[in-house]
Amino acid sequence: MRIIWMTLRTTFSVAIVCCIIYNIAVWAVAQAAAPDKANGSLIENAEGQVVGSSLIGQSFTDPGYFHGRVSSIDYDANGSGTPNYAPSNPELLARAEQSITDWQSQNPDVPVSELPIDLITNSGSGLDPHISPASAEAQVPRVSGATGIAAEKLEQMIAEHTQGRSLGLFGEPAVNVLELNMAVQAAR
């Protein structure tokens, strides 16, 4: 009987430490060290309403906004991932051709030869909120025509919202589509 009580005491003690105390400690450290990131990197509009996260892309289809990358999961964070098609897979070719056709219909002023590859391909997660600066610049004629905002002003917004490489070394410069579109909305 003594062994049973000792086993139960140990089990409950470990459960309290690992399931409660540890989680509270990690939460407290995260809240103190980086509260914005610990709370999901949420983005609020001018009225203080949460409109999204800087970590998860959203689908923009209105011609007056910049569009993000293709997402085969429709930016659903519950199912992160994307089909991992080989270059020889006909479904990959069909998806890319459909993306190019969509691009041509939405951006008739920009030739396909100037279409950046990240606008017709998925990211690894299907949730990427960023596009390359070249992808944003390729959309300027459409957004300018739909909103009446001068192309020079839109290019300035792109430059202001371009994030550099991490630590100056890693990754590529990128533009957060949601943050850029919020600037477009404010300029309307």
Side-chain angles (χ1 to χ4, degrees):
M1 192 59 140
R2 183 174 152 222
I3 293 175
I4 292 174
W5 282 114
M6 188 171 74
T7 303
L8 288 174
R9 240 187 356 244
T10 303
T11 301
F12 287 121
S13 298
V14 169
I16 289 170
V17 169
C18 293
C19 297
I20 298 174
I21 295 173
Y22 174 77
N23 288 320
I24 291 172
V26 169
W27 175 83
V29 169
Q31 290 297 321
D36 179 54
K37 291 183 183 203
N39 293 322
S41 300
L42 301 177
I43 298 175
E44 297 178 349
N45 62 13
E47 292 80 37
Q49 298 170 320
V50 174
V51 294
S53 169
S54 65
L55 303 174
I56 298 177
Q58 295 182 20
S59 178
F60 291 96
T61 56
D62 186 303
Y65 290 109
F66 289 90
H67 299 175
R69 294 187 74 164
V70 175
S71 175
S72 59
I73 60 169
D74 212 20
Y75 293 107
D76 182 4
N78 291 321
S80 174
T82 186
N84 191 14
Y85 297 136
S88 60
N89 190 314
E91 291 183 41
L92 177 63
L93 180 60
R95 187 177 68 200
E97 288 173 347
Q98 182 61 49
S99 295
I100 291 169
T101 301
D102 292 345
W103 170 263
Q104 289 175 315
S105 68
Q106 297 167 2
N107 302 278
D109 299 333
V110 181
V112 174
S113 61
E114 295 179 23
L115 173 60
I117 193 73
D118 59 318
L119 286 178
I120 60 168
T121 58
N122 280 353
S123 65
S125 67
L127 300 173
D128 195 350
H130 299 96
I131 56 175
S132 66
S135 293
E137 290 166 7
Q139 298 180 63
V140 166
R142 183 195 72 240
V143 175
S144 179
T147 62
I149 300 172
E152 296 79 23
K153 176 68 175 165
L154 290 171
E155 289 170 2
Q156 179 185 359
M157 288 180 191
I158 292 169
E160 291 170 358
H161 289 87
T162 298
Q163 303 164 355
R165 299 171 187 263
S166 296
L167 302 174
L169 300 170
F170 305 107
E172 294 295 324
V175 179
N176 186 291
V177 178
L178 176 58
E179 292 173 357
L180 179 59
N181 283 336
M182 289 177 66
V184 168
Q185 187 173 21
R188 284 182 158 182

